[in-house]
Amino acid sequence: MASQSSKMKVQCLNPDRISSLPQDITGNILTRMPIRDAIRTSILSRKWRSGWKSMTRLVFNDKMVTVPSNRQQLKKYKLASAILDVLLMHTGSILQITIDVVELDVDSEFNQIICYLSRHNHLQKLNFWGSLEKKHCYKLPSSFFSLQGLEFLGLHNCLFRPPIIFDGFSKLSTVHFANVDITSKTLQLFLSKCPLITVLHLICDYSRDFATGNKFTFVELLQCVPLIENLVIKGPYMKHLSAGGMPHKLPTSLVQLKCLSLGMCYDEEYEVSSALCLIRSSPNLEKVVLTGYDKSDTTQISKNFPDIQDYSGFALDHLEFFCMKWFTYEDRQVDFLKLIMAKSPMLKRAQIELYESVSLEEENELVRDLLQLPFPRASLSAKLIFKRPEPEPAS
């Protein structure tokens, strides 16, 4: 009896729990691992041997291969070959893929990868991070524009030039463009051919070719995305889309828009009027983020600004969160703060993130003045929070 009891105890203590995990659990584990580690799990057991080959989400980055620092061309070739090898051995449907090559000036080496993905046409989500070099953009091959299953598209540091016969992505709902080289005319045509877009992020740290070609205004942009729920506009996009100013209110309200984030210069009349128009025309906003930036040396400060303190026409009955970044306590920044807090009865938090040049002494004075300002507040329970910029980590 003792020996049988010991045998049962050993069996209980040493079950093959890894092999007995349900397939959905193993799949979830694999998708959370770097692709190299996911492939290495094939040695765990017979069940895991081919598990990675059916992963629906793949993530590749330029740290997958290591070469001497002076052999970047070799690294680019080895990385492209490694990614292609994984794709060729993969047996299931690839629904999501991320390719992060910010340290490499990728060129035609990656065209074959995009071509392979387009032939299988199951891809729903694509994130491509190209080189961070300002002078180098990865030109998307023509095969990219045949990825008709795409629902999510994130492009970073890429050259976007669709072929003439491109009819858009009929299923696309989310677009993230960061430092994408695209003309205003091309962007307008692209958005007009993607009728289901609900999330649009246009971010640029430096000027590309957006100003070339036909002018493209905020009014025309919003006509291209009638279902928009989440809109982010920053950098030169804001400047060029605001050119000529905006009407007091849009002809058609943006009833679907819930989240709005704008990077703007408070000394630019047209950018201020555009921000006011967008907020005034979006009655169901739940979140607003305004990021200020300094005017360029060539900017002419206009004296014909719209009255930010004019509260007429504003109905922010659903706004819960408001954030102002790079806050320096300029009059127009304070006016925006007063406007939002006066017209947002459901506001829970107003967050002020100070610009890095604001000293501790200036911060104390700023906080004291804002807390004592006699302006109407629709929500008596709204918290006013001040944050300083986080220090950069030591190298």
Side-chain angles (χ1 to χ4, degrees):
M1 289 290 293
S3 60
Q4 185 176 358
S5 175
S6 300
K7 185 177 181 180
M8 290 178 62
K9 185 179 292 186
V10 170
Q11 289 178 342
C12 292
L13 291 174
N14 299 294
D16 186 2
R17 294 184 179 180
I18 292 180
S19 296
S20 62
L21 289 173
Q23 186 172 358
D24 59 332
I25 300 279
T26 59
N28 192 287
I29 293 173
L30 289 169
T31 57
R32 296 172 183 271
M33 302 171 67
I35 187 65
R36 290 176 62 178
D37 293 338
I39 294 175
R40 289 170 179 163
T41 62
S42 59
I43 66 172
L44 293 177
S45 69
R46 181 178 299 177
K47 182 177 179 180
W48 284 73
R49 186 172 301 165
S50 300
W52 71 270
K53 294 183 180 180
S54 59
M55 292 168 58
T56 59
R57 182 170 69 91
L58 299 175
V59 178
F60 303 99
N61 59 54
D62 45 24
K63 295 178 175 59
M64 284 177 55
V65 297
T66 56
V67 297
S69 58
N70 60 344
R71 303 293 302 276
Q72 291 299 90
Q73 196 67 27
L74 174 62
K75 183 174 184 177
K76 184 163 47 176
Y77 171 76
K78 289 182 67 174
L79 179 60
S81 298
I83 294 175
L84 195 57
D85 286 345
V86 171
L87 295 180
L88 291 174
M89 288 188 288
H90 197 278
T91 56
S93 296
I94 301 172
L95 304 181
Q96 303 179 30
I97 189 167
T98 295
I99 300 177
D100 180 353
V101 287
V102 295
E103 296 180 359
L104 298 174
D105 294 340
V106 298
D107 290 300
S108 56
E109 293 87 356
F110 283 79
N111 289 358
Q112 195 173 359
I113 296 170
I114 301 297
C115 184
Y116 175 87
L117 293 171
S118 67
R119 288 200 303 267
H120 292 74
N121 215 17
H122 299 297
L123 199 63
Q124 298 174 359
K125 181 176 181 178
L126 171 64
N127 249 320
F128 192 101
W129 295 71
S131 170
L132 291 178
E133 283 291 328
K134 293 182 180 181
K135 296 181 179 180
H136 192 97
C137 274
Y138 171 60
K139 183 179 180 181
L140 296 163
S142 57
S143 57
F144 162 80
F145 297 95
S146 61
L147 291 168
Q148 286 302 307
L150 283 181
E151 299 174 8
F152 177 105
L153 175 60
L155 295 179
H156 312 257
N157 308 302
C158 294
L159 180 66
F160 194 91
R161 297 290 187 270
I164 298 176
I165 59 173
F166 177 59
D167 290 326
F169 297 118
S170 60
K171 298 180 181 180
L172 192 64
S173 63
T174 300
V175 175
H176 292 263
F177 279 3
N179 295 334
V180 171
D181 192 329
I182 186 171
T183 66
S184 55
K185 182 178 180 180
T186 300
L187 179 62
Q188 184 175 14
L189 289 172
F190 168 67
L191 295 178
S192 64
K193 292 180 178 180
C194 303
L196 300 183
I197 291 178
T198 58
V199 178
L200 176 62
H201 292 189
L202 299 176
I203 302 170
C204 194
D205 296 329
Y206 44 88
S207 182
R208 292 281 192 187
D209 292 333
F210 187 72
T212 63
N214 296 344
K215 290 184 178 180
F216 186 32
T217 66
F218 257 119
V219 174
E220 293 167 323
L221 169 73
L222 296 169
Q223 289 174 345
C224 294
V225 287
L227 304 180
I228 194 70
E229 297 177 6
N230 185 314
L231 179 64
V232 176
I233 306 290
K234 294 182 179 180
Y237 287 117
M238 186 68 183
K239 177 180 179 181
H240 296 304
L241 290 168
S242 300
M246 291 269 277
H248 182 76
K249 190 175 182 179
L250 294 174
T252 304
S253 294
L254 304 173
V255 294
Q256 305 285 348
L257 191 61
K258 303 292 193 305
C259 300
L260 175 66
S261 181
L262 301 174
M264 57 182 289
C265 175
Y266 291 94
D267 288 327
E268 286 277 9
E269 172 188 353
Y270 293 151
E271 294 185 28
V272 171
S273 68
S274 295
L276 287 171
C277 177
L278 288 170
I279 296 174
R280 185 183 286 112
S281 303
S282 308
N284 295 316
L285 281 173
E286 297 175 0
K287 177 180 179 181
V288 173
V289 177
L290 301 178
T291 302
Y293 64 86
D294 293 333
K295 66 181 181 66
S296 65
D297 294 336
T298 58
T299 298
Q300 296 293 324
I301 300 179
S302 173
K303 297 181 180 179
N304 300 316
F305 275 90
D307 185 6
I308 302 176
Q309 297 186 52
D310 178 10
Y311 296 169
S312 62
F314 280 86
L316 301 175
D317 295 334
H318 303 279
L319 191 69
E320 296 183 356
F321 177 77
F322 176 60
C323 179
M324 298 187 75
K325 298 183 178 182
W326 290 17
F327 194 85
T328 57
Y329 201 34
E330 295 178 6
D331 289 343
R332 295 189 189 97
Q333 290 178 318
V334 176
D335 286 343
F336 263 103
L337 177 62
K338 291 164 65 176
L339 167 65
I340 298 301
M341 297 198 73
K343 302 301 293 184
S344 307
M346 301 300 293
L347 190 67
K348 295 180 180 178
R349 185 172 57 162
Q351 184 166 300
I352 307 300
E353 299 185 11
L354 302 174
Y355 189 59
E356 58 185 7
S357 63
V358 177
S359 66
L360 287 173
E361 183 179 347
E362 291 172 325
E363 177 187 354
N364 292 332
E365 181 180 354
L366 184 154
V367 172
R368 184 178 63 252
D369 290 348
L370 280 180
L371 293 177
Q372 293 176 353
L373 273 178
F375 62 86
R377 307 185 187 194
S379 173
L380 298 178
S381 61
K383 295 181 179 179
L384 186 58
I385 300 172
F386 295 88
K387 293 184 64 176
R388 292 196 63 81
E390 296 182 1
E392 295 184 0
S395 57

